[in-house]
Amino acid sequence: MIKIVRKVFWNYEKEEAWLNEMASKGFALCGYSWCKYTFENTANGEYIYRIELLDQTADSEKSKEYIEFIESTGAEFVASYMRLVYFRRKATDGPFNLYTDIDSRIKHTARICVFWLLLASMEFSVVTVNIVMGFLNNITVPLILVIPLALFGLLFLSLGLRLSGKLRALKKERRIRE
């Protein structure tokens, strides 16, 4: 039986935890598109899921090589959406971690942090351009346009800053271990 769930996540760790919770209930992710998760029935807890934000889209040559490398470790490529990729591995094969060392965790966290901060700056740029153009053309900028863009900018900024704090903690942990 196929089950479709529409859900929005802003935090990849919470998304991973949710996917693993769904797997523990017998629902294995088999497809993903924007905010649409497709599950199939499976044995409870059969899979462990991991999510990665790649440097490039999943269909690029570099990404394909990386996906093949991950698959060579026993994991299975499940789905991709732009630069996000979803992997799973049988729980009976033991723990499944994409980042086994601190440097790879730092690199991944930095990549996601930059992603959110870049989105925030884009949103704030669009808000600023709309306001400036409104003043230059002597028109009132519709608040119905500016307010949602500014709110999304604040959301993306808060996500980026939260990850920035996590990134600092990881770098501090690396210094302590050295």
Side-chain angles (χ1 to χ4, degrees):
M1 181 177 97
I2 299 292
K3 176 178 182 157
I4 294 175
V5 178
R6 296 183 188 278
K7 196 169 177 101
V8 176
F9 282 97
W10 302 105
N11 180 320
Y12 80 94
E13 291 171 328
K14 289 181 181 178
E15 183 178 10
E16 259 186 16
W18 178 72
L19 289 172
N20 287 307
E21 179 185 330
M22 292 296 286
S24 72
K25 295 176 181 176
F27 296 103
L29 180 71
C30 60
Y32 176 80
S33 61
W34 177 248
C35 302
K36 180 183 172 188
Y37 299 85
T38 305
F39 296 93
E40 58 191 4
N41 286 340
T42 187
N44 291 358
E46 184 173 354
Y47 294 106
I48 299 171
Y49 288 89
R50 295 290 174 244
I51 303 170
E52 170 127 24
L53 179 67
L54 301 174
D55 288 327
Q56 301 171 5
T57 60
D59 59 353
S60 75
E61 198 58 41
K62 181 181 175 185
S63 295
K64 285 179 183 178
E65 288 174 12
Y66 176 75
I67 290 168
E68 287 174 11
F69 166 74
I70 295 297
E71 288 180 322
S72 74
T73 68
E76 179 185 350
F77 171 77
V78 177
S80 68
Y81 182 78
M82 296 195 299
R83 291 174 40 206
L84 276 177
V85 289
Y86 296 79
F87 295 105
R88 71 181 176 194
R89 192 166 86 179
K90 296 262 186 186
T92 55
D93 293 343
F96 177 34
N97 293 307
L98 293 174
Y99 315 107
T100 55
D101 64 290
I102 191 95
D103 288 329
S104 62
R105 288 174 50 208
I106 288 171
K107 185 179 176 185
H108 183 251
T109 303
R111 190 169 36 244
I112 296 172
C113 180
V114 166
F115 174 78
W116 287 123
L117 293 175
L118 184 63
L119 281 178
S121 67
M122 289 171 41
E123 291 292 329
F124 291 135
S125 296
V126 170
V127 168
T128 303
V129 166
N130 275 297
I131 291 171
V132 168
M133 294 303 289
F135 283 127
L136 291 176
N137 294 317
N138 290 325
I139 60 171
T140 304
V141 178
L143 292 178
I144 198 162
L145 173 68
V146 173
I147 289 175
L149 292 174
L151 290 175
F152 273 113
L154 289 172
L155 171 68
F156 299 153
L157 180 63
S158 71
L159 292 167
L161 292 176
R162 188 175 310 137
L163 281 172
S164 178
K166 182 177 179 178
L167 189 57
R168 279 191 302 277
L170 286 170
K171 287 179 179 179
K172 182 178 179 181
E173 181 181 335
R174 180 177 62 189
R175 282 191 306 271
I176 291 170
R177 289 183 181 186
E178 290 177 345

